[in-house]
Amino acid sequence: MEAKVAPSLLSADFGNLARDVEIVNNSLADYIHVDIMDGVFVPNISIGFPVMSAIKKAARKPLDVHLMISNPDAYIDRFCEAGADILTVHYEACTHLHRTIEHIKCFGKKVGVAINPHTPVEVLTDIIADIDLVLIMTVNPGFGGQSFIEHSYNKLNRLREMIEKQGANVMVEVDGGVSLKNAAKLVEHGVDILVAGNSVFGCVNSTEAIENLKKLNDGAK
Ligand code: DX5
Ligand code: ZN
């Protein structure tokens, strides 16, 4: 059993961002996870367009861009132009989610919808057939290095049931507190993509950390 891995640059060394992107380029990672925070939707501010464009230039893996911003509709064009390959918006930030999804699709990008820990997966019932990815937040968004919320397994079970019932062709991603301690269990619960910040860039050997997550290498716990 293998997982797809998306290292989150939020925990990278921003003074050596090109070096850390290159580490991911040369690893077994499947995507590069880019967290965009506006200080409104979440109580933190991360990076904007110039930095994202610089990441795109350096990246040789697809960019998995996670928008933690209010009013994402106003910026979708620019994030697509800046090089997002998957663009994920938060359910909680979109009044007209279907319209937002269609807008992203116009650019030929893959579309993801993220839900916060308090948001039931059932809100996605009437949209899941239209999207490429569901991102289950397994911490409250805003910061790296937080503890995984155990109730998330229950949400993943219910999400899997919904996906099977509808025969939806959608990837399931989890974000927050992911490490070798829970990676295998998450994949058993139907997760396709593991986002990992601290458990990758907090390690002396990030390449090895990515490989262990990818292979769900329990021996390395
Ligand atoms: C948090 C971000 C995450 C963050 C995860 O709001 O969406 O992508 O980088 O960090 P870890 O893996 O350290 O919990
Ligand atoms: Zn994220």
Side-chain angles (χ1 to χ4, degrees), residues 9-161:
L9 293 181
L10 192 64
S11 296
D13 176 354
F14 276 59
N16 290 289
L17 200 47
R19 181 202 65 193
D20 283 359
V21 170
E22 191 59 12
I23 289 173
V24 181
N25 282 337
N26 293 322
S27 75
L28 294 180
D30 297 273
Y31 303 99
I32 298 179
H33 188 81
V34 181
D35 289 298
I36 310 286
M37 304 177 182
D38 66 352
V40 179
F41 183 71
V42 287
N44 199 5
I45 297 177
S46 59
I47 61 166
F49 299 110
V51 178
M52 192 180 139
S53 298
I55 292 169
K56 183 65 183 177
K57 251 189 222 160
R60 295 197 306 277
K61 309 259 180 184
L63 295 192
D64 168 32
V65 179
H66 177 193
L67 297 185
M68 286 161 276
I69 63 174
S70 294
N71 192 18
D73 299 275
Y75 301 100
I76 281 168
D77 300 33
R78 292 189 67 190
F79 281 112
C80 289
E81 284 156 16
D85 294 285
I86 305 174
L87 191 58
T88 296
V89 294
H90 265 263
Y91 165 83
E92 299 85 0
C94 297
T95 308
H96 302 288
L97 182 59
H98 185 274
R99 178 180 287 150
T100 305
I101 289 166
E102 294 305 311
H103 188 176
I104 297 170
K105 282 185 183 171
C106 284
F107 289 88
K109 307 295 184 180
K110 289 205 184 308
V111 189
V113 175
I115 56 171
N116 281 334
H118 73 277
T119 302
V121 293
E122 286 74 16
V123 299
L124 302 174
T125 305
D126 291 302
I127 208 80
I128 199 150
D130 296 319
I131 60 179
D132 300 294
L133 178 144
V134 173
L135 195 174
I136 302 286
M137 284 308 302
T138 45
V139 298
N140 285 293
F143 303 93
Q146 302 181 79
S147 301
F148 179 86
I149 297 171
E150 293 292 321
H151 177 71
S152 308
Y153 293 115
N154 184 297
K155 293 177 78 169
L156 287 167
N157 287 339
R158 279 152 45 219
L159 178 62
R160 193 43 56 190
E161 272 174 31

Side-chain angles (χ1 to χ4, degrees), residues 156-202:
L156 287 167
N157 287 339
R158 279 152 45 219
L159 178 62
R160 193 43 56 190
E161 272 174 31
M162 185 194 298
I163 290 171
E164 278 168 16
K165 197 170 165 194
Q166 297 199 31
N169 183 19
V170 72
M171 292 187 288
V172 177
E173 182 175 54
V174 284
D175 186 1
V178 174
S179 71
L180 272 183
K181 290 200 180 101
N182 52 22
K185 188 171 174 186
L186 286 164
V187 172
E188 279 164 22
H189 282 72
V191 171
D192 302 296
I193 307 174
L194 302 165
V195 175
N198 202 47
S199 67
V200 166
F201 292 106

